[in-house]
Amino acid sequence: MKIIKFFNATIFPILLVNFIGILGYSIVIPILIFIVVDLGGNGFIYGILGAMYPFFQLIGAPVLGKLSDRIGRKKVLMISQAGTFIAWLLFLLAFILPKTTLWSSDADFTGSYIMTLPLILLFVARIFDGFTGGNVSVANAYLSDISTDDDRDKNFGMMGASTSLGFVLGPAVAGILASTFLGEALPIILAAMISLIAIIVITLKLPESNPCVVDTGSSGLTSFRRFFQVEHKDCYTDDIKSEVKSNTFLEILKLDQIPLLYAIYFLTFLAFSLFYAGLPIYASTILKWSSIELGVFLAYSSVIMILVQGPLLSYLSGKVSNILFVAVGTIFLAISFYALSFPNIIVMYVANTLLSLGNGLMWPNFLSLLSKTGNHQTQGTIQGYGNSMGSCASIFGLILGGVLFESLQTQVFSIGAVIFLLIFILVLVNHLKNKKNLRSEQHQVETV
């Protein structure tokens, strides 16, 4: 009975879609640098290529989020996964194309690289995948649609656990498959197959969640026009309709709590971008770790987050407020980022444990808070713009982190600690302000 209760059948399809999407994405992480170098690139080209995905996701996520409010979550998830599938096919095509040189460079700033035809194709693939990569924000909007106030925290905890599980298995599978006779091509083939499976799961197992969109028939894939044809239920009251006049960014910012939540979204991704930019350099140059040791370190982090976001949050759901979870999580994250600057194996793993606990407590509860804003008519747009906040921070943070590590070394992690302390202060001040307003309203009611 407990197992059935823990694995809610209603949310299982979207958890599976999220897991499959993350698995397909994380599989390429350990091998992408080797593919880029083999095709003529270097670290500079690898960095630019890495920035393509979040940059075009910054553009595409709000578009797909708005579209999901209009035509439904399911159809947009299918569009997103189809884009990912096509991107992996372009990756595979890059292995087949001849390494025709288009231009080369040997400057001090960019280093030595050769831009080849298949390398250009990788850029096209990452751009295409990034623009159609709004599946995370749409999946969060979907989960918001089907969640109630009683199970919202637990559901977003499970979503976080499925994400962490994908990040655990993806790099491990990639490392094993890349050592076979097919080399880096085999993980890419598997990623394409995983993406295709996701499309099938969405098509067959995922019901539409947006209550204000009615699917016009099961054969909606028979034509492009019919695919986008939907009916809209008259399910919004005049008060709700007037809450947001249009789904523009400026109108969304007028919603209660949205400016604060978007600021937290941006700052969290900024801090973690500094972490992901600095950690590989830190591990290889200062700690003298091998790729296996770094992989074990990251896998340990994901395992802790699975335990926190799954069983622990499921048990504590409804017993502790989202705000308290976010506040405690940010304190753990601030301490962990500061501790990361000490090059000692024991301290590093203690810091990793605190980081995993903090992230596991903070992020699902933050997403739960974000999902409570607006309504079903705007939730896809809200999640899409939030995703863009994260993408913008990732682009800036990944570039900044690599540059700062050259001069500041491990002190770059202390900057992340300061950022999380800033988030804690923002959350605390906002919470005290809301309590003051609530007491004022209660006093006015008592006076009347």
Side-chain angles (χ1 to χ4, degrees):
M1 180 66 69
K2 289 183 179 180
I3 294 176
I4 294 174
K5 185 178 179 181
F6 183 71
F7 291 101
N8 189 332
T10 305
I11 69 169
F12 180 75
I14 192 63
L15 294 182
L16 182 61
V17 167
N18 185 64
F19 167 73
I20 289 173
I22 295 297
L23 182 64
Y25 170 79
S26 64
I27 267 181
V28 78
I29 291 175
I31 62 173
L32 185 57
I33 181 63
F34 300 104
I35 296 174
V36 169
V37 171
D38 183 60
L39 295 178
N42 61 359
F44 172 77
I45 295 298
Y46 172 72
I48 298 298
L49 181 64
M52 288 296 100
Y53 185 92
F55 179 78
F56 281 89
Q57 192 180 48
L58 171 69
I59 301 170
V63 175
L64 292 177
K66 285 184 181 180
L67 194 61
S68 76
D69 289 331
R70 291 178 51 234
I71 71 171
R73 318 291 186 214
K74 177 175 180 175
K75 291 182 177 181
V76 174
L77 283 170
M78 291 173 67
I79 293 170
S80 180
Q81 282 298 331
T84 300
F85 178 66
I86 293 172
W88 290 133
L89 294 182
L90 292 175
F91 255 81
L92 291 173
L93 182 60
F95 285 101
I96 302 172
L97 290 176
K99 297 179 184 179
T100 306
T101 300
L102 301 179
W103 73 83
S104 61
S105 175
D106 192 12
D108 292 336
F109 179 72
T110 63
S112 178
Y113 71 87
I114 300 172
M115 185 59 67
T116 61
L117 182 61
L119 200 52
I120 287 290
L121 196 59
L122 291 192
F123 273 88
V124 174
R126 295 305 285 170
I127 290 170
F128 192 74
D129 195 16
F131 188 78
T132 59
N135 52 315
V136 173
S137 57
V138 177
N140 287 335
Y142 184 101
L143 195 61
S144 175
D145 291 341
I146 64 175
S147 296
T148 65
D149 290 338
D150 294 331
D151 61 14
R152 187 178 304 274
D153 297 345
K154 181 177 71 174
N155 288 349
F156 275 94
M158 293 297 294
M159 180 71 96
S162 70
T163 298
S164 297
L165 184 60
F167 272 114
V168 169
L169 295 180
V173 170
I176 295 171
L177 296 181
S179 63
T180 64
F181 71 99
L182 287 176
E184 286 83 15
L186 188 55
I188 300 300
I189 293 172
L190 180 60
M193 292 174 62
I194 288 172
S195 184
L196 185 59
I197 291 171
I199 295 173
I200 296 172
V201 170
I202 294 169
T203 304
L204 300 180
K205 298 295 183 180
L206 199 70
E208 176 54 55
S209 68
N210 192 337
C212 298
V213 172
V214 181
D215 200 340
T216 55
S218 59
S219 58
L221 286 173
T222 54
S223 71
F224 183 82
R225 184 174 180 179
R226 186 169 183 176
F227 181 77
F228 285 95
Q229 184 182 356
V230 292
E231 298 175 16
H232 288 264
K233 292 182 182 178
D234 186 16
C235 58
Y236 301 113
T237 65
D238 291 337
D239 291 339
I240 295 177
K241 281 181 179 179
S242 63
E243 185 179 10
V244 178
K245 297 177 182 179
S246 63
N247 286 359
T248 64
F249 182 66
L250 291 178
E251 290 295 335
I252 293 296
L253 279 179
K254 294 177 182 178
L255 292 175
D256 186 41
Q257 300 297 312
I258 283 293
L260 171 70
L261 293 175
Y262 278 0
I264 294 174
Y265 213 127
F266 180 89
L267 290 172
T268 301
F269 268 75
L270 178 61
F272 271 102
S273 294
L274 296 176
F275 169 76
Y276 284 115
L279 183 65
I281 308 172
Y282 183 24
S284 60
T285 59
I286 297 177
L287 300 174
K288 305 298 182 183
W289 283 1
S290 66
S291 58
I292 295 176
E293 289 173 305
L294 178 58
V296 170
F297 185 79
L298 293 174
Y300 169 78
S301 174
S302 295
V303 169
I304 297 295
M305 281 191 285
I306 290 171
L307 296 175
V308 173
Q309 294 167 336
L312 182 59
L313 284 186
S314 180
Y315 173 74
L316 294 176
S317 177
K319 301 175 182 177
V320 182
S321 69
N322 297 126
I323 290 295
L324 182 57
F325 272 131
V326 172
V328 172
T330 51
I331 289 296
F332 280 170
L333 286 165
I335 296 171
S336 68
F337 266 62
Y338 177 72
L340 282 170
S341 61
F342 296 93
N344 177 281
I345 186 69
I346 296 176
V347 175
M348 287 290 292
Y349 268 89
V350 170
N352 196 11
T353 303
L354 290 174
L355 184 148
S356 305
L357 283 170
N359 193 29
L361 291 173
M362 180 255 187
W363 192 244
N365 283 281
F366 168 77
L367 290 177
S368 180
L369 284 172
L370 187 64
S371 74
K372 294 174 184 177
T373 60
N375 49 60
H376 292 299
Q377 191 182 22
T378 58
Q379 187 57 214
T381 307
I382 289 170
Q383 295 287 347
Y385 282 129
N387 199 304
S388 289
M389 293 293 102
S391 296
C392 187
S394 294
I395 297 167
F396 180 65
L398 288 171
I399 297 173
L400 183 66
V403 172
L404 288 179
F405 197 90
E406 292 295 323
S407 56
L408 298 179
Q409 297 289 296
T410 59
Q411 293 306 309
V412 72
F413 299 118
S414 297
I415 298 176
V418 172
I419 291 174
F420 280 117
L421 284 177
L422 175 60
I423 293 174
F424 174 77
I425 293 171
L426 288 174
V427 170
L428 182 62
V429 169
N430 184 72
H431 179 61
L432 294 175
K433 178 182 176 183
N434 288 339
K435 286 186 68 175
K436 182 179 179 181
N437 291 338
L438 182 60
R439 284 197 298 266
S440 177
E441 291 174 3
Q442 290 175 343
H443 178 70
Q444 290 177 0
V445 171
E446 290 171 359
T447 302
V448 173

